[in-house]
Amino acid sequence: RRPTLAVVGATGAVGTVMLSLLAERADVWGEIRPVASARSAGRTVRVRGEDVVVQVLAPEVFDGVDVAVFDVPDEVSAQWAPIAAARGAVAVDNSGAFRMDDDVPLVVPEVNADQLARRPRGIIANPNCTTLSMIVALGALHRAFGLESMVASSYQAASGAGQAGIDTLYDQLATVGGTHELGQTAGDVRKAIGEDGLGPFPAPLALNVVPWAGSLKDGGWSSEELKVRNESRKILGLPGLRVSATCVRVPVITTHAVAVHAWFAQPVTAAQAREVLLGAPGVAVVDDPAAGEFPTPADVVGTDPTWVGRIRQSPDDPREVALFLCGDNLRKGAALNTLQIAELLVGAEQRLE
Ligand code: 2RA
């Protein structure tokens, strides 16, 4: 019997990408069961080219399910992932509900697939999309050179805030586009968009950048910045890794970018770093600034790899390497990584690009 997969949150931004990936990738599944909240009751979604009715989230939808992937808010996962596990499914959760739980592995197949085996709660956590935009490449560099600390500045897409983020940015661009005037006087963009046009963002996003993502935590850090730090430590198995992140929202629909400065246990030249990255599964290198070639979100969106460029060794510290990374935050940042975990669980892993 081919394994049964439940997709919980099938009608959301990530769930939609998950279903499209399932149609693109080698088909290793038997039944694929789309599940969503009662709000989506009766809706149909395209599953492998067919219209399938979405099932309403209830304990019985997990009966007979081998793997249940969750693309839902933290509080929904917190309640329902344990129920899915109790009904015999392995839950792969894309929310933040369980990521830092000692009994829940936080898995990136290219970096720490060995952690999958230890899942006493029957739950596996998928990292935050910002962490996933850089960790595959950093994992390869860590294995080669011994990562000791890093400074990361993210440039995060609007779709990280879900469909509301996407719709808000398009609406704001429609408001400010074509004027050839806005963005030249303090507050003019904010005035044009209006407080009710901000959507899920604390400041205007079009013609702007917003140095905030998530919620306020101790010391003025955002939850997003602490996720980058804490998740990187857990995935790499480096509890003492020093990580300082600044997470910034930028007017991009989909694909996060991250500028990273990484310090290693030994001197690393740009050529050495580039060679390791060229051989790393799930990583693509575009690094020829003389030719204007470096990763950009507009070129990376819709693709699976982590794209890396601007690779350079610091002129002040031979152990420091700087690089710029891009990754589609809905694909590898969420749906693809979750699906790769699900495929590993049923022994159907597919070649890592
Ligand atoms: C964001 N990484 O971009 C967070 C959650 N997807 O908003």
Side-chain angles (χ1 to χ4, degrees):
R1 173 179 73 85
R2 286 168 30 125
T4 297
L5 176 71
V7 179
V8 184
T11 57
V14 174
T16 301
V17 173
M18 172 72 72
L19 293 175
S20 66
L21 280 167
L22 283 162
E24 292 168 23
R25 294 172 72 79
D27 187 4
V28 300
W29 302 98
E31 180 191 353
I32 294 176
R33 196 175 292 178
V35 180
S37 69
R39 276 200 319 274
S40 303
R43 272 187 61 175
T44 60
V45 289
R46 295 291 285 178
V47 178
R48 293 183 288 203
E50 294 177 11
D51 284 334
V52 176
V53 176
V54 172
Q55 299 192 29
V56 175
L57 187 53
E60 54 272 16
V61 301
F62 297 108
D63 291 341
V65 170
D66 297 285
V67 181
V69 292
F70 283 76
D71 292 313
V72 294
D74 291 14
E75 63 278 4
V76 177
S77 286
Q79 179 185 351
W80 286 95
I83 292 171
R87 294 254 171 168
V90 179
V92 185
D93 177 30
N94 185 38
S95 86
F98 299 99
R99 286 184 187 135
M100 301 317 293
D101 183 318
D102 288 339
D103 285 335
V104 175
L106 182 63
V107 175
V108 182
E110 297 89 337
V111 180
N112 66 338
D114 57 306
Q115 301 286 313
L116 269 180
R118 186 187 167 280
R119 51 180 191 266
R121 299 189 62 182
I123 299 171
I124 297 160
N126 195 65
N128 183 34
C129 49
T130 314
T131 307
L132 271 167
S133 299
M134 61 178 200
I135 203 72
V136 174
L138 290 176
L141 293 173
H142 168 56
R143 281 193 300 276
F145 307 116
L147 181 64
E148 292 189 342
S149 65
M150 70 171 160
V151 173
S153 299
S154 73
Y155 306 80
Q156 298 185 213
S159 63
Q163 193 60 47
I166 297 171
D167 296 342
T168 295
L169 180 54
Y170 278 127
D171 290 345
Q172 291 185 4
L173 290 170
T175 301
V176 303
T179 66
H180 288 241
E181 290 163 10
L182 291 172
Q184 302 181 54
T185 308
D188 60 357
V189 171
R190 184 182 288 275
K191 187 161 178 262
I193 286 169
E195 289 303 305
D196 59 1
L198 297 179
F201 307 116
L205 188 55
L207 300 182
N208 204 18
V209 294
V210 182
W212 191 261
S215 56
L216 177 62
K217 297 294 181 185
D218 291 347
W221 295 88
S222 69
S223 57
E224 196 76 355
E225 289 155 354
L226 295 182
K227 284 176 184 176
V228 169
R229 173 179 179 269
N230 299 330
E231 293 174 21
S232 297
R233 288 177 153 196
K234 183 169 177 179
I235 294 160
L236 297 172
L238 296 173
L241 177 67
R242 294 190 299 281
V243 180
S244 183
T246 299
C247 293
V248 179
R249 192 75 68 185
V250 297
V252 166
I253 296 298
T254 290
T255 292
H256 288 346
V258 194
V260 173
H261 292 259
W263 282 263
F264 296 95
Q266 62 180 79
V268 181
T269 64
Q272 287 171 320
R274 192 174 296 110
E275 183 184 354
V276 165
L277 293 167
L278 282 165
V283 175
V285 176
V286 173
D287 189 25
D288 184 357
E293 292 181 10
F294 26 69
T296 82
D299 301 311
V300 165
V301 61
T303 68
D304 291 350
T306 299
W307 296 80
V308 189
R310 301 301 328 281
I311 303 164
R312 56 227 199 263
Q313 183 181 32
S314 163
D316 305 316
D317 181 344
R319 296 177 311 117
E320 177 197 346
V321 169
L323 46 155
F324 188 77
L325 309 100
C326 286
D328 183 315
N329 55 291
L330 298 181
R331 282 177 84 96
K332 182 61 181 176
L336 175 62
N337 199 71
T338 313
L339 195 53
Q340 285 173 312
I341 292 170
E343 290 166 354
L344 279 173
L345 286 169
V346 296
E349 60 269 26
Q350 300 180 40
R351 190 180 61 80
L352 299 170
E353 299 75 27

